């Protein structure tokens, strides 16, 4: 487990030298022993002040992270377990308000056990204040990048942490809605870790402390660079000759030698950072690659299929990516390459139809420009969901079809010998698609 650092130690680790400036603290008078007159509460607060040197469980201010200015919210776990009370809510609201007023991204550095018991329901309702501030900041088109420290549990995880656009975590950090003292006695502690949350699609990446400032700085630069100019389609990396027949198009697209998404992304971007997970319990790292990268000095978001059957979590992650890019005003590039959506029983149990519908909706409603390049197989609706209706191009070694030619022949009750002819009838070659108006010509 990573060493548990105090709030100001974390701020010093994250920010460029002498760049952190603390925000003014909102004033609020407290009744003796707090709103519930909880006996001994004032004494507990006094001991927390003496132990930590802080007046509350959060330190809020502005600082520069690897060259980009941001509002930082650092929790002090040594102050009553980093718990949220009324004064905490005041500080958090002021920090988010400052971020919107000055058009700054927000970086919560979370370490909390949840709501403060000594303030009862008034402490719990601070989560509603935080959720509203986060939502207003999201509507303002400002990114929120959370760093999960040890521990991140309860309402702090369910608002500041899980509600962020990109979520990073320290190795071994305890992360979960249920804290260690309120879980079932037989609960597996490994499920409540940063690493487990990455696997579950709830956290994007685990980052070592020494690499965190650079990682955060890279994300901040990428997510604070809006643009209204569409992403240009990548240049084809494979064959330059158009296929003579429909079946030849299928064979080229299925060739193991044909360039896949990784090759296109590496050639297109100077550098890139990935998001992971659908925030619904799933990931599809083998079927969908999503993130943000730099192309010709501009930030472009990307969602790319890898040539395999796409899982429901892959579609949901792509929809998450497109909606985030849309809020931040960042153009999107999608690469289509799948034989189709996963169609096994587990995919149905995971809601593959709803996941595809959600991606169709994300593309259809995006205000930011979406550019699509078909780089391989375009198998049915599972491929079309990722394609921009009016800005789709295709490489010479690709095809797009209402369904795979073999399955089309089977549906039409044709024998195996008629598959190649069926491929021609479907008009799935890039030149056919251009003539039909499905794709653009270069």
């Amino acid at each position: 487990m990573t060493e548990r650092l105090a709030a100001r130690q974390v701020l010093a680790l994250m920010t460029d030298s002498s760049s952190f400036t603390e925000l003014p603290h909102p004033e609020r008078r407290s009744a003796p022993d707090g709103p519930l007159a909880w006996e001994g509460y004032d004494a507990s607060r006094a001991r927390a002040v003496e132990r930590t040197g802080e007046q509350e469980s959060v330190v809020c201010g502005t600082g520069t992270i690897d060259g980009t200015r941001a509002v930082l919210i650092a929790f002090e776990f040594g102050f009553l377990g980093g718990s949220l009370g009324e004064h905490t809510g005041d500080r958090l609201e002021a920090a988010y308000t400052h971020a919107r007023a000055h058009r700054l991204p927000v970086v919560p550095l979370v370490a909390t056990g949840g709501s403060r018991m000594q303030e009862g329901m008034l402490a719990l309702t601070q989560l509603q204040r935080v959720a509203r501030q986060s939502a207003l900041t999201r509507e303002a088109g400002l990114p929120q990048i959370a760093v999960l420290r040890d521990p991140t549990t309860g309402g702090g995880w369910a608002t500041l942490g899980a509600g962020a656009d990109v979520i990073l975590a320290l190795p071994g950090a305890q992360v979960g809605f249920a804290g260690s003292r309120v879980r079932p006695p037989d609960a597996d502690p490994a499920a409540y870790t940063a690493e487990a949350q990455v696997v579950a699609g709830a956290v994007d990446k685990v980052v070592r402390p020494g690499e965190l400032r650079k990682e955060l700085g890279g994300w901040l630069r990428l997510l604070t660079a809006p643009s209204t100019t569409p992403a240009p389609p990548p240049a084809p990396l494979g064959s330059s000759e158009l296929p003579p027949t429909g079946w030849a198009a299928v064979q080229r697209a299925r060739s193991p030698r044909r360039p896949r998404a990784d090759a296109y992304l590496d050639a297109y971007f100077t550098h890139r950072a990935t998001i992971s997970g659908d925030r619904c319990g799933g990931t599809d790292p083998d079927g969908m690659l999503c993130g943000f990268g730099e192309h010709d000095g501009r930030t472009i978001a990307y969602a790319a299929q890898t040539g395999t059957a796409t899982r429901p979590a892959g579609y949901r992650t792509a929809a998450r990516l497109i909606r985030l890019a849309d809020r931040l005003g960042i153009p999107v590039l999608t690469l289509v390459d799948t034989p189709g959506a996963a169609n096994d029983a587990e995919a149905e149990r995971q809601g593959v139809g709803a996941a595809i519908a959600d991606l169709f909706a994300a593309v259809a409603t995006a205000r930011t420009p979406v550019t699509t390049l078909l780089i391989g197989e375009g198998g049915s609706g599972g491929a079309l969901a990722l394609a921009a209706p009016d800005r789709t191009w295709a490489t010479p070694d690709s095809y797009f079809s209402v369904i795979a030619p073999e399955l089309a022949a089977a549906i039409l009750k044709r024998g195996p010998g008629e598959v190649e002819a069926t491929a021609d009838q479907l008009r799935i070659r890039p030149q056919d698609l251009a003539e039909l108006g499905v794709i653009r010509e270069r």
Side-chain angles (χ1 to χ4, degrees), residues 219-420:
W219 272 111
L220 288 168
R221 283 190 297 276
L222 287 170
L223 299 187
T224 56
S227 171
T228 58
T229 304
L237 299 180
S239 173
S240 59
E241 296 181 3
L242 291 170
T245 66
W247 187 243
V250 173
Q251 290 178 309
R252 286 188 186 181
R254 293 177 180 174
S255 170
R257 296 185 297 276
R258 186 216 0 120
R260 270 23 186 210
D262 268 329
Y264 276 93
L265 295 175
D266 288 344
Y268 192 79
F269 291 110
T270 306
H271 66 272
R272 52 192 173 99
T274 61
I275 67 167
S276 174
D278 60 3
R279 300 294 187 261
C280 300
T283 61
D284 186 19
D286 297 326
M288 186 76 77
L289 306 176
C290 294
F292 294 80
E294 183 180 319
H295 174 79
D296 285 347
R298 290 197 304 137
T299 299
I300 306 291
Y302 65 86
Q305 291 169 316
T306 63
T308 66
T310 309
R311 310 293 306 177
Y315 291 115
R316 293 191 180 102
T317 305
R320 173 194 160 204
L321 179 282
I322 291 169
R323 289 193 173 105
L324 174 56
D326 192 42
R327 288 202 309 270
L328 301 179
I330 295 171
V332 178
L333 169 69
T334 66
L335 301 180
V336 173
D337 185 10
T338 181
N343 59 5
D344 52 66
E346 187 58 27
E348 293 296 341
R349 283 191 286 266
Q350 293 171 357
V352 64
I356 293 173
D358 190 43
L359 181 54
F360 267 121
V363 173
T365 58
R367 295 159 299 178
T368 196
V370 180
T371 298
T372 299
L373 181 65
L374 173 66
I375 63 170
E377 291 195 82
S380 195
L384 187 65
L386 198 59
D390 56 351
R391 286 190 55 80
T392 294
W393 285 262
T395 63
D397 46 6
S398 66
Y399 78 90
F400 225 142
S401 180
V402 64
I403 197 168
E406 299 93 328
L407 299 179
I411 291 171
L412 296 172
K413 298 181 179 179
R414 296 177 176 179
E418 297 181 84
V419 169
E420 294 186 21

Side-chain angles (χ1 to χ4, degrees), residues 143-170:
Q144 300 170 68
I145 306 174
V147 176
L148 311 182
R149 297 152 56 211
D150 182 56
T152 298
T153 60
W157 164 229
T159 52
L160 289 146
D165 299 313
V166 174
I167 305 173
L168 309 176
L170 295 179

Side-chain angles (χ1 to χ4, degrees), residues 135-147:
L136 290 173
T137 304
R138 189 178 300 114
E139 289 177 4
L142 299 170
Q144 300 170 68
I145 306 174
V147 176

Side-chain angles (χ1 to χ4, degrees), residues 108-123:
L109 306 165
V110 189
T112 174
S115 300
R116 194 168 297 171
M117 300 298 101
Q118 297 92 330
E119 296 186 22
M121 277 301 299
L122 292 178

